[in-house]
Amino acid sequence: MTHVVTQSCCNDASCVYACPVNCIHPTPDEPDFATAEMLYIDPRACVDCGACVTACPVGAIQPHSRLGEGQLPFLEINSDFYGTGPVGDLPILAKVAPPLEVKARPEPPRVAIVGSGPAAMYAADEVLTVPGARVDVYEKLPTPYGLARAGVAPDHQETRRVTTQFDTIAAQPGFHLHAGVEVGADLTHEELLRHHHAVIYAVGASADRRLPVAGAERAVSATGFVAWYNGHPDHAHRSFDLSHRRAVVIGNGNVALDVARVLARDPEALAATDISPAALAALRESRIEEIVVAGRRGPAHSAFTLPELVGLANARGIAVSVPEADLDVTGAGEESHTVRHKLRLLRELAARDTSGARRRITLRYLLAPERITDDGVTFARNTLEIGDGLVQAVPTGETEHIEAGLVLTSIGYRALPVPGLPFNEATATVPNTAGRVEGAAATYVAGWIKRGPTGFIGTNKSCARETVAALVEDYNEGRLNDPAASTAALQELLRSRRPDSVALIGSP
Ligand SMILES: Cc1cc2nc3c(=O)[nH]c(=O)nc-3n(C[C@H](O)[C@H](O)[C@H](O)COP(=O)(O)OP(=O)(O)OC[C@H]3O[C@@H](n4cnc5c(N)ncnc54)[C@H](O)[C@@H]3O)c2cc1C
Ligand SMILES: NC(=O)c1ccc[n+]([C@@H]2O[C@H](COP(=O)([O-])OP(=O)(O)OC[C@H]3O[C@@H](n4cnc5c(N)ncnc54)[C@H](OP(=O)(O)O)[C@@H]3O)[C@@H](O)[C@H]2O)c1
Ligand code: SF4
Ligand code: SF4
């Protein structure tokens, strides 16, 4: 018997510290953690105590005897990560990061956090480990938790459970949420600094990357489509043309799989989720039968993660296929555990017959978008070549046109500049060192605005921890001035600027 990590793992590593025998890896202090697509339990060492199940905020861990049919592949994916040799010589418990050490000062830290997504919530949790600390979280939307609520797909209800953990963080003494307050519009950076020792920006990456091809304006951005089906107030009014039989999604990251799956799912299955009622009504009328997800490189470079591919391959009512001809594995690096499993599953999908299916997703490769027209997308056909030891996708000179009534671009998110802070246009991040904003005193960043738009919900935990450690060091060293104005003055200011703002969680 063993326990198994499954699809909804968001890499927050809570299970690592709950495990009494250190059999969940990679741990945050191990080098593979930064690139891991999930964590894995070593079946040779697991003593089946179940402690990790309780620790996991998203219900990702199951005893192997309780795995559903669609979860069975995770048994091998977990065990194969470790191989069959003897259990390695590991410390009995995973290495725990030392607690923050705070030098006593007359006024405990008062920290403003802009945004209430995962990075903000993990940062607030860290700050609140300091006795007497106060955190004021400013969120421009009426509801908190950023993409954990407005990004995660509605059919991923397990992942949405992470918001329960955020509720627990928010219920701590010293936490104050001001929802409906936009920093930059309702309050300035200088005003925040007057009322706090420091400001952490955790504003995410709310825009999208633009596709630099002719006709790109005819395409719909996945950013807007996701916001629409999740009921984001800025996108709730939108409508999309779902009256044709085929849609094409450009890009093959996890967001591309999310939008393809939502388009392909039986709407009655979505009705049991918290999808926006307007989106559900539109999807009930949808005539889309096939969603083509197009990557410009080969299958070994699929941007989606292995757990999401396993989930898609086993999604009820959706037929998934890959044309055999697209499965070019030139220089595929199959020594990587993740690549090996992805390719094996893609080969299985290539062998599936999906011809009679009502709704299907076709994964295509080696197609670089060249032009978007009223009737679909023309792609330049690529081939894989090895040069300087690297696999490169290079154009063959051939093109392929795929007809579609709806074209979505899902080529990544992009942060917008934060007024008053420096901004690196190339990386679309605020330049920083370990979270300290370059050239701006008492100002820090965490999450996607700090690192760029990659990583899972839990990735923001170690990111936020690093930022708060820098902040506490500056507080200890006297580099953060005590706030010039009181918390009562802050309440007064907020009432004058946003009388309608809601302190949804925490006392005023
Ligand atoms: C579509 C999508 C689906 C995803 N699904 C998953 C998943 O299933 N599992 C997983 O592990 N990861 C998932 N991720 C990744 C995960 O959501 C991100 O890693 C995480 O949300 C980034 O956190 P953040 O706090 O940096 O940004 P965000 O979550 O974007 O939070 C930023 C917050 O700041 C607020 N804000 C912005 N500007 C201001 C301002 N001026 N004043 C006040 N508030 C402001 C925004 O309204 C928002 O609430 C998904 C990402 C996307 C895009
Ligand atoms: N369930 C989950 O855990 C979950 C769900 C959603 C999102 N997320 C995470 O959120 C992050 C963002 O996801 P994402 O899907 O938006 O981004 P992503 O993973 O970075 O994928 C972007 C995709 O766009 C392609 N692309 C970029 N520029 C292109 C261009 N000019 N032409 C054609 N294709 C182009 C990329 O191809 P190349 O690879 O060739 O550059 C890639 O396929 C990721 O870290 C993701 O894992 C997680
Ligand atoms: S069941 Fe117990 S021993 Fe096994 S991975 Fe979970 S915490 Fe570790
Ligand atoms: S979500 Fe966190 S606690 Fe759950 S399995 Fe993944 S890393 Fe472990």
Side-chain angles (χ1 to χ4, degrees):
M1 278 277 282
T2 180
H3 277 59
V4 180
V5 180
T6 65
Q7 187 189 340
S8 55
C9 175
C10 71
N11 293 36
D12 81 332
S14 298
C15 54
V16 164
Y17 305 109
C19 178
V21 293
N22 192 13
C23 71
I24 310 176
H25 296 272
T27 58
D29 60 313
E30 292 172 345
D32 316 2
F33 184 76
T35 51
E37 294 190 352
M38 58 181 280
L39 268 58
Y40 309 92
I41 290 175
D42 187 345
R44 303 162 306 170
C46 172
V47 296
D48 241 3
C49 67
C52 52
V53 176
T54 319
C56 180
V58 293
I61 305 181
Q62 300 280 343
H64 100 256
S65 53
R66 293 229 196 110
L67 292 174
E69 203 181 324
Q71 294 174 316
L72 284 174
F74 286 103
L75 192 54
E76 190 185 343
I77 287 170
N78 277 246
S79 68
D80 191 44
F81 179 76
Y82 296 95
T84 52
V87 179
D89 189 13
L90 290 164
I92 292 180
L93 293 176
K95 203 165 135 201
V96 182
L100 296 170
E101 280 187 28
V102 186
K103 279 194 198 154
R105 279 176 48 175
E107 176 139 26
R110 271 157 66 184
V111 177
I113 301 183
V114 186
S116 67
M121 296 310 294
Y122 292 130
D125 200 27
E126 282 294 327
V127 174
L128 291 174
T129 60
V130 178
R134 173 181 170 117
V135 167
D136 286 280
V137 171
Y138 301 90
E139 168 56 55
K140 68 178 177 181
L141 295 181
T143 48
Y145 307 154
L147 289 169
R149 191 192 289 259
V152 171
D155 59 343
H156 278 173
Q157 289 294 312
E158 287 292 322
T159 307
R160 293 267 184 101
R161 272 173 49 183
V162 75
T163 58
T164 310
Q165 189 186 40
F166 296 158
D167 286 342
T168 308
I169 293 172
Q172 295 176 85
F175 184 101
H176 305 264
L177 172 71
H178 311 284
V181 177
E182 181 172 354
V183 172
D186 302 316
L187 289 177
T188 65
H189 178 65
E190 289 66 33
E191 284 167 338
L192 288 182
L193 278 180
R194 254 179 75 71
H195 293 84
H196 303 88
H197 285 96
V199 185
I200 300 176
Y201 286 89
V203 291
S206 57
D208 53 337
R209 282 196 201 122
R210 292 297 154 129
L211 188 65
V213 305
E217 69 286 354
R218 293 190 174 92
V220 166
S221 158
T223 309
F225 191 73
V226 165
W228 170 70
Y229 65 58
N230 277 329
H232 188 295
D234 296 348
H235 296 264
H237 62 281
R238 296 186 63 177
S239 60
F240 300 93
D241 184 359
L242 309 180
S243 64
H244 301 265
R245 293 172 75 173
R246 188 182 293 122
V248 169
V249 184
I250 296 171
N252 66 7
N254 280 340
V255 174
L257 290 200
D258 278 353
V259 298
R261 224 182 39 251
V262 167
L263 282 168
R265 275 237 188 258
D266 177 355
E268 296 324 309
L270 290 172
T273 72
D274 55 358
I275 190 169
S276 121
L280 180 64
L283 289 166
R284 281 191 161 126
E285 300 298 316
S286 168
R287 295 171 138 197
I288 293 176
E289 293 171 1
E290 183 187 21
I291 300 101
V292 176
V293 177
R296 58 184 169 177
R297 297 193 281 162
H301 292 106
S302 303
F304 52 71
T305 55
L306 176 61
E308 287 307 303
L309 179 62
V310 173
L312 179 68
N314 292 291
R316 187 171 296 171
I318 305 176
V320 186
S321 69
V322 192
E324 189 75 50
D326 281 12
L327 281 186
D328 183 345
V329 293
T330 303
E334 294 204 36
E335 64 282 358
S336 146
H337 164 264
T338 313
V339 171
R340 195 168 61 243
H341 277 277
K342 270 188 200 170
L343 291 179
R344 197 178 67 176
L345 184 47
L346 289 170
R347 286 188 194 106
E348 269 175 47
L349 293 173
R352 280 189 193 174
D353 176 14
T354 58
S355 46
R358 205 171 138 249
R359 288 205 170 162
R360 54 187 196 282
I361 293 177
T362 308
L363 302 176
R364 296 290 315 270
Y365 290 96
L366 298 167
L367 295 177
E370 203 172 70
R371 191 168 56 254
I372 299 174
T373 50
D374 283 340
D375 68 340
V377 192
T378 303
F379 291 95
R381 180 95 202 150
N382 283 340
T383 187
L384 296 179
E385 283 180 5
I386 303 180
D388 298 333
L390 290 175
V391 186
Q392 286 169 341
V394 293
T396 58
E398 291 164 24
T399 58
E400 178 174 338
H401 184 76
I402 300 183
E403 278 187 19
L406 176 69
V407 179
L408 289 133
T409 54
S410 181
I411 62 169
Y413 281 58
R414 186 178 160 86
L416 298 171
V418 178
L421 299 197
F423 192 68
N424 180 331
E425 284 292 340
T427 57
T429 54
V430 170
N432 70 92
T433 308
R436 289 184 183 94
V437 175
E438 288 174 13
T443 307
Y444 304 81
V445 279
W448 279 15
I449 188 69
K450 171 185 172 187
R451 317 185 309 272
T454 60
F456 313 100
I457 290 169
T459 315
N460 299 293
K461 193 170 178 174
S462 41
C463 172
R465 174 166 241 284
E466 179 190 59
T467 297
V468 175
L471 185 157
V472 167
E473 189 183 310
D474 292 346
Y475 175 83
N476 287 345
E477 297 303 318
R479 292 191 282 262
L480 303 181
N481 295 330
D482 282 343
S486 66
T487 52
L490 173 65
Q491 291 309 319
E492 195 47 46
L493 180 68
L494 279 168
R495 262 194 294 275
S496 70
R497 296 285 165 77
R498 286 306 302 256
D500 54 337
S501 108
V502 266
L504 281 173
I505 304 163
S507 49

